[in-house]
């Protein structure tokens, strides 16, 4: 890590996770209680990633076993990797934060994943549900994949869980993981239980939660067509984002996530090409038009876990497909509910490995 990145990461860590030194000190202490380290958690601005982390921590804390859970944000791991490695024991279990950071789309994050696996290759490592996306047209495809395969071969105790069928097939067929070390599980964010009261009466308003980065497939023209169509239907619309554009302190994480769920809950419809835009809508029990992104994770998760959900409507990137879905969603009256308990049951297979 160069000096500029070191300073930036240090400042972010102090602002967002002021207890990090206490956490490092607690690792140093001998304990008869097994430690569960949740590594790679966010302090950046993506509320979808914070939703994932909250769901993971709630899930782990709810399991019937005495343990100490220590959160290690990504910046803390990068800055203090050698100290963390020195203080953990072979009996400690490493959990890696879930999300969409494996593959060529975000290579920096992929290399962080490889670093975590290499650093704790003697421990049981469980990676919470990920999307695996390697673009064969990327000039670094072969290099990144070769390094990933080598790292997973060395980390023989590591278990990868993925949240969509395409990721599962890629991990088995191209990364060389045996089925005993790879399993298909729901995105852990789908398990989140908000403490906020949801709106039962929706405003006549549509939220547009659309990507602006390299994962976007929806064209600017299609977005304009959507706006015009909503005007024709006499629905006002607002743009929203799952990005806060600032560092998010760990202590404020739950409040901000619940606030975003409430925002989604107050509207009649959400149109999104963000995976966690779809999941925020699902948790808010608000009808949602789900449009795929470059890594195919939006409809990948929909097809695997939400295809029976009556208030999530998949749509292609073309405006005609989206308009059709909008008409269906706005003209259908349902009593909406989530399926958190049913989805949680899929995790029983994983629990047999570490409980």
């Amino acid at each position: 890590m160069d000096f500029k990145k070191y300073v930036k990461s240090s400042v972010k860590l102090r602002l967002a996770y002021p207890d990090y030194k206490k956490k490092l000190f607690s690792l140093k202490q001998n304990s008869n209680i097994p430690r569960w380290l949740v590594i790679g958690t966010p302090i950046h601005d993506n509320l979808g990633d914070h939703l994932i982390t909250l769901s993971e921590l709630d899930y782990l804390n709810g399991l019937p076993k005495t343990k100490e859970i220590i959160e290690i944000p990504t910046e803390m791991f990068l800055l203090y990797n050698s100290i963390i490695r020195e203080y953990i024991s072979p009996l400690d279990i490493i959990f890696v934060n879930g999300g969409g950071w494996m593959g060529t789309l975000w290579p920096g994050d992929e290399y962080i994943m490889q670093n975590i696996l290499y650093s704790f290759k003697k421990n049981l490592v469980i990676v919470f549900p990920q999307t695996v996306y390697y673009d064969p047209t990327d000039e670094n495809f072969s290099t990144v994949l070769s390094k990933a395969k080598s790292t997973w071969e060395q980390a023989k105790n590591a278990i990868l869980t993925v949240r969509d069928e395409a990721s599962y097939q890629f991990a088995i067929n191209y990364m060389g993981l045996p089925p005993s070390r790879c399993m298909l599980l729901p995105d852990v964010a789908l398990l989140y239980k908000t403490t906020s009261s949801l709106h039962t009466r929706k405003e006549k308003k549509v939220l547009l939660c659309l990507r602006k980065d390299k994962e976007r497939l929806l064209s600017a023209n299609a977005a304009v067509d959507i706006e015009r169509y909503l005007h024709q239907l006499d629905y006002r619309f607002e743009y929203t984002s799952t990005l806060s554009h600032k560092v998010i302190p760990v202590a404020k994480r739950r409040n901000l996530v619940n606030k975003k769920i409430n925002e989604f809950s107050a509207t009649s419809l959400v149109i999104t090409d963000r995976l966690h835009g779809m999941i925020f809508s699902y948790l808010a029990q608000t009808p949602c038009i789900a449009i795929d992104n470059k890594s195919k994770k939006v409809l990948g998760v929909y097809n695997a876990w939400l295809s029976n959900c009556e208030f999530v409507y998949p749509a292609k990137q073309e405006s005609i497909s989206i308009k059709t879905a909008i008409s269906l969603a706005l003209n259908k009256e349902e009593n909406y509910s989530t399926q958190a308990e049913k989805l949680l049951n899929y995790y029983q297979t994983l629990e047999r490995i570490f409980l």
Side-chain angles (χ1 to χ4, degrees):
M1 182 185 297
D2 62 37
F3 182 72
K4 186 176 180 180
K5 288 184 178 179
Y6 175 86
V7 171
K8 184 177 180 180
S9 294
S10 297
V11 172
K12 285 176 65 178
L13 187 60
R14 286 198 297 270
L15 289 173
Y17 201 46
D19 289 339
Y20 75 92
K21 290 185 178 179
K22 292 181 181 179
K23 299 298 182 180
L24 285 173
F25 183 77
S26 70
L27 280 174
K28 186 178 180 180
Q29 307 306 303
N30 293 323
S31 174
N32 294 324
I33 299 176
R35 278 94 59 93
W36 291 359
L37 279 67
V38 183
I39 297 182
T41 60
I43 55 177
H44 56 240
D45 67 341
N46 191 321
L47 285 171
D49 292 338
H50 287 275
L51 172 63
I52 287 173
T53 299
L54 283 172
S55 297
E56 291 167 354
L57 295 173
D58 289 350
Y59 165 70
L60 293 175
N61 277 303
L63 293 173
K65 184 175 182 178
T66 302
K67 68 275 184 184
E68 180 183 5
I69 298 176
I70 301 174
E71 179 181 349
I72 309 290
T74 299
E75 287 76 7
M76 184 174 168
F77 168 75
L78 294 175
L79 291 169
Y80 299 101
N81 183 9
S82 59
I83 295 176
I84 297 169
R85 290 170 64 182
E86 179 183 354
Y87 291 155
I88 70 164
S89 80
L91 297 178
D92 293 329
I93 301 176
I94 309 299
F95 294 90
V96 183
N97 201 55
W101 46 296
M102 289 181 65
T104 56
L105 198 56
W106 306 103
D109 292 336
E110 166 64 37
Y111 288 136
I112 292 174
M113 173 71 74
Q114 294 178 24
N115 191 358
I116 294 171
L117 293 173
Y118 180 80
S119 297
F120 306 105
K121 57 186 176 183
K122 294 183 179 179
N123 292 78
L124 172 60
V125 178
I126 296 173
V127 179
F128 274 109
Q130 283 274 346
T131 294
V132 182
Y133 179 72
Y134 283 82
D135 184 353
T137 66
D138 190 294
E139 61 181 0
N140 297 312
F141 172 81
S142 297
T143 300
V144 179
L145 179 56
S146 177
K147 289 181 178 179
K149 289 176 67 175
S150 176
T151 303
W152 280 93
E153 286 172 2
Q154 294 178 65
K156 298 185 183 299
N157 297 320
I159 306 294
L160 173 64
T161 69
V162 294
R163 56 194 182 184
D164 62 275
E165 181 66 29
S167 294
Y168 179 81
Q169 294 300 330
F170 190 93
I172 298 294
N173 296 323
Y174 294 95
M175 292 173 60
L177 282 176
S180 60
R181 293 180 55 202
C182 185
M183 61 182 68
L184 182 63
L185 290 178
D187 187 313
V188 69
L190 291 166
L191 309 181
Y192 184 69
K193 296 179 180 179
T194 180
T195 55
S196 302
S197 57
L198 302 180
H199 295 269
T200 54
R201 297 183 65 184
K202 310 286 186 181
E203 296 181 33
K204 195 173 182 180
K205 179 181 71 176
V206 175
L207 284 181
L208 301 175
C209 182
L210 303 175
R211 305 193 75 102
K212 295 181 180 180
D213 59 15
K214 59 185 175 181
E215 291 194 45
R216 177 173 179 158
L217 289 179
L218 185 71
S219 70
N221 287 338
V224 171
D225 282 346
I226 293 169
E227 294 178 3
R228 290 171 178 165
Y229 187 61
L230 293 174
H231 276 304
Q232 293 174 16
L233 297 176
D234 197 28
Y235 272 81
R236 63 188 181 92
F237 64 85
E238 291 179 4
Y239 277 87
T240 190
S241 177
T242 55
L243 304 179
S244 68
H245 305 295
K246 58 184 177 181
V247 171
I248 295 179
V250 169
K252 295 183 179 180
R253 176 186 285 155
R254 192 177 298 273
N255 179 58
L256 291 173
V257 165
N258 286 340
K259 184 178 179 180
K260 181 58 64 173
I261 294 174
N262 276 344
E263 179 190 353
F264 277 48
S265 174
T267 192
S268 297
L269 176 68
V270 174
I271 303 173
T272 186
D273 57 359
R274 283 190 169 274
L275 171 59
H276 289 100
M278 178 179 73
I279 293 180
F280 274 118
S281 302
Y282 170 77
L283 296 175
Q285 300 176 29
T286 295
C288 173
I289 310 300
I291 308 162
D292 222 352
N293 71 322
K294 186 172 183 179
S295 67
K296 313 299 182 186
K297 62 187 177 184
V298 180
L299 296 192
V301 169
Y302 169 82
N303 289 328
W305 311 111
L306 296 180
S307 60
N308 292 327
C309 181
E310 295 185 346
F311 59 93
V312 179
Y313 301 81
K316 297 179 181 178
Q317 285 81 21
E318 296 83 4
S319 57
I320 185 65
S321 175
I322 298 169
K323 290 177 183 177
T324 301
I326 290 172
S327 295
L328 287 172
L330 292 178
N331 290 303
K332 187 175 182 180
E333 294 185 5
E334 293 287 344
N335 292 318
Y336 306 125
S337 63
T338 61
Q339 308 171 53
E341 292 302 324
K342 179 181 178 181
L343 295 174
L344 180 61
N345 290 335
Y346 287 97
Y347 278 73
Q348 293 176 1
T349 303
L350 179 63
E351 291 164 14
R352 297 188 190 105
I353 296 172
F354 68 92
L355 286 182

